[in-house]
Amino acid sequence: MSQIGNNIKKLRKVKGLSQQAFADLFGLTRGNISSYEELRAEPKIEVMLQIAKYFSIPVAELLEKQLTVNEILNFEDHFIVEGEGMGTHRLTKIPFLDRDFFRQGAISEGRHDQLPTLLLPLESNSLLIAVENCSYLPHPSPFPFEENTILFFEQVKVDILHTLHDHIGFFEGESPFFGRYDVQGQNINLVLNDWKKEVFAPEEAYHFWKLFGKFERVL
């Protein structure tokens, strides 16, 4: 039995994409994605190839295997905090903002060199940061991630502005929060709720992050 529909649904949820946002990536409709996820139809082979290439997943695995979160994100079966005793060659250091960071009311102001570091077998051309979803951080309602989930974000740059709309983001300013991007023409807002949002400005870009993936830590 093909796993393509189940894997599309998991890919979409892990990446924080709505059905419409996922459809837009591949020139499809929200109805197409709904029919795939409900196993009422399967995408054409050229669409399967596009999805596999975009997410760097072998086509055979996309079709035949129920993908795990780790496989979707190209992570190993675990991650470690620097200093836990694993060899660090070929691992990327990612600054980690955990619940203790937010409980203490610490504000990084870009001083990521002072943060603990996660070590992951992950390559990216963008700056990355890891943030623990916890009760100290406001987030939109509904929010698709459980408490203690580690969310990975890439720093917003000019070349990804067109991909921001309806994506989950993180604001790392004086009052940090998780939000959802709203792009209207050249106006870009990261929205928490009807009363709070942050307006993206190039000179403040280092405060704005876009969801890259997640890792559900077993506690």
Side-chain angles (χ1 to χ4, degrees):
M1 177 180 175
S2 171
Q3 298 295 328
I4 184 69
N6 294 326
N7 286 333
I8 285 175
K9 186 173 184 178
K10 180 167 281 190
L11 276 166
R12 183 175 61 76
K13 289 189 173 182
V14 168
K15 295 294 186 178
L17 298 170
S18 66
Q19 288 185 334
Q20 186 62 60
F22 192 97
D24 290 344
L25 290 174
F26 306 104
L28 302 170
T29 67
R30 190 197 64 77
N32 290 144
I33 305 305
S34 176
S35 66
Y36 303 155
E37 293 183 0
E38 294 172 8
L39 309 182
R40 293 183 283 108
E42 289 194 351
K44 296 178 180 179
I45 185 62
E46 57 266 29
V47 174
M48 294 183 191
L49 293 173
Q50 289 177 349
I51 294 172
K53 181 178 180 180
Y54 186 89
F55 292 107
S56 300
I57 296 171
V59 176
E61 293 187 10
L62 186 64
L63 285 170
E64 301 170 4
K65 183 178 181 181
Q66 289 193 24
L67 297 172
T68 66
V69 171
N70 297 333
E71 289 168 333
I72 289 172
L73 295 177
N74 296 316
F75 293 166
E76 298 291 351
D77 289 335
H78 62 281
F79 65 83
I80 62 173
V81 176
E82 186 176 14
E84 290 184 355
M86 179 180 173
T88 59
H89 65 291
R90 294 162 59 184
L91 294 175
T92 297
K93 293 183 178 182
I94 301 177
F96 180 35
L97 281 64
D98 62 6
R99 65 175 53 247
D100 290 336
F101 176 89
F102 297 107
R103 180 170 57 229
Q104 295 164 7
I107 304 300
S108 67
E109 291 296 341
R111 295 304 303 274
H112 293 163
D113 58 316
Q114 298 177 359
L115 295 173
T117 306
L118 297 183
L119 303 178
L120 293 171
L122 176 68
E123 293 184 4
S124 173
N125 294 325
S126 301
L127 291 176
L128 298 175
I129 193 170
V131 184
E132 182 176 5
N133 181 27
C134 63
S135 58
Y136 301 105
L137 270 177
H139 58 68
S141 180
F143 194 59
F145 304 109
E146 300 291 334
E147 181 124 350
N148 304 313
T149 298
I150 307 300
L151 302 177
F152 294 88
F153 294 87
E154 60 178 330
Q155 197 166 57
V156 171
K157 298 184 296 186
V158 172
D159 58 354
I160 67 170
L161 292 181
H162 66 288
T163 70
L164 290 180
H165 185 66
D166 205 32
H167 277 259
I168 291 172
F170 172 62
F171 178 71
E172 196 195 3
E174 185 174 351
S175 299
F177 66 90
F178 297 120
R180 190 172 291 275
Y181 283 104
D182 177 49
V183 180
Q184 303 294 334
Q186 294 185 336
N187 298 318
I188 302 173
N189 299 313
L190 183 60
V191 180
L192 171 62
N193 52 39
D194 290 341
W195 303 276
K196 182 175 177 58
K197 66 181 179 181
E198 290 291 339
V199 179
F200 177 88
E203 62 272 17
E204 296 289 323
Y206 61 91
H207 283 313
F208 291 83
W209 301 81
K210 174 191 173 186
L211 185 67
F212 181 83
K214 73 171 184 176
F215 193 102
E216 292 183 340
R217 183 165 55 169
V218 178
L219 299 178

